[in-house]
Amino acid sequence: MTVDKNWLDKLPKVELHLHLEGSLEPELMFELAQRNAITLPFDTVEQVRQAYSFSNLQDFLDIYYQGANVLLVEQDFYDLTWAYLQKCHEQNVVHVEPFFDPQTHTDRGVAFETVLNGISRALDDARLQFGISSQLIMCFLRHLSEEAAFATLAQAEPFLDKIIGVGLDSSERGQPPEKFSRVFAKARELGLLTVAHAGEEGPADYIWTAIDDLKVSRIDHGVRASEDASLMSYLIEHRVPLTVCPLSNTRLCVFEEMSQHTILKMLEQGVCVTVNSDDPAYFGGYMTENFVALAESLNMTEQQAIRLLKNSVEASLASEQRKQQILEMIALLPADERG
Ligand code: ADE
Ligand code: ZN
């Protein structure tokens, strides 16, 4: 039986891999550019969408960092985050753990506090208005230096009550996780949890060093783990979660076609894989669209969708009480919808 979009929409969902800057839709980009008197290298929203054709991660990152230039004042960061949370509300996403990239903004002269306050205010409002719970993760840009990452961590120190952990993103090739071992050690000393992008374009070895050196709670992407049998056994045995992003992987040519994606194979092998949208404004879809892509191209069953979702609850950094609440929401689905 094929899984229908309406059912996937209704499913209570959890998103663990989402870059807030990657949720900037072209319409909001234009609105903010106008508000902040910034000239965009595009005349129309259609032109922007046409430019979203990427052959690899770096191609995308160049455009993604350019897009973020329209974000200047606290209200911009609020509007960006709020637009994402409204989409979550529409799609029944009940818990989110978004990333933000402070260096993308502080390097342009925007204060760390401006970024964090705008984002946090929107997360607080969504908790009250929509009942969406959240935990915020601050990422270091791995193409920048260890020194720059340390400086960013120092800027975050007064605000650690608003941040659950640190992550590592941006250009992966040639930027191994161990470059940031000391920064991550310091972050852990400060009580922060750790995650890292690894094995998206980079080799399976980067997944090992993210685990061994950065002591991550989960791996972002991690699809190249399938190239290393002993790593696969480790991930399965230790239930190390992978936050997989199907539409992102096809848009960035990690897999040529969705039909070649290995997420369901990994699920069946016993890996704690989860479904996420990464940069939905750039890759053609939010949570529901990612699940729909798996149903259409990989014949995902309702049971598999529920198992993917339960993996997300297990992998989340939410409190045990919140995890139980979400599992109860799933259990409350009518029997034929529970899979
Ligand atoms: N920053 C935003 N999206 C990213 C991705 N898919 N990989 C690495 N860095 C990113
Ligand atoms: Zn990502």
Side-chain angles (χ1 to χ4, degrees), residues 213-250:
D213 297 9
L214 305 187
K215 320 272 184 230
V216 293
S217 302
R218 58 188 187 227
I219 295 285
D220 296 313
H221 292 294
V223 288
R224 289 194 59 192
S226 57
E227 295 168 20
D228 179 337
S230 62
L231 176 58
M232 285 292 283
S233 303
Y234 183 93
L235 298 178
I236 293 165
E237 188 186 338
H238 295 272
R239 295 292 291 166
V240 179
L242 305 184
T243 63
V244 179
C245 308
L247 286 175
S248 164
N249 290 156
T250 49

Side-chain angles (χ1 to χ4, degrees), residues 47-64:
Q47 267 184 20
V48 179
R49 290 220 159 86
Q50 270 163 23
Y52 291 176
S53 164
F54 315 110
S55 14
N56 55 42
L57 174 59
Q58 193 59 53
D59 252 15
F60 154 70
L61 289 171
D62 293 342
I63 293 229
Y64 162 84

Side-chain angles (χ1 to χ4, degrees), residues 32-96:
L32 298 183
Q34 198 168 27
R35 209 157 82 184
N36 293 326
I38 289 168
T39 310
L40 290 174
F42 303 104
D43 294 325
T44 62
V45 161
E46 289 68 37
Q47 267 184 20
V48 179
R49 290 220 159 86
Q50 270 163 23
Y52 291 176
S53 164
F54 315 110
S55 14
N56 55 42
L57 174 59
Q58 193 59 53
D59 252 15
F60 154 70
L61 289 171
D62 293 342
I63 293 229
Y64 162 84
Y65 293 130
Q66 186 184 69
N69 285 338
V70 300
L71 300 160
L72 282 186
V73 298
E74 186 180 313
Q75 190 62 37
D76 302 339
F77 291 94
Y78 179 93
D79 292 346
L80 170 75
T81 310
W82 186 248
Y84 165 64
L85 292 162
Q86 277 181 307
K87 198 75 190 180
C88 288
H89 183 53
E90 273 170 41
Q91 296 197 342
N92 266 310
V93 179
V94 298
H95 177 80
V96 295

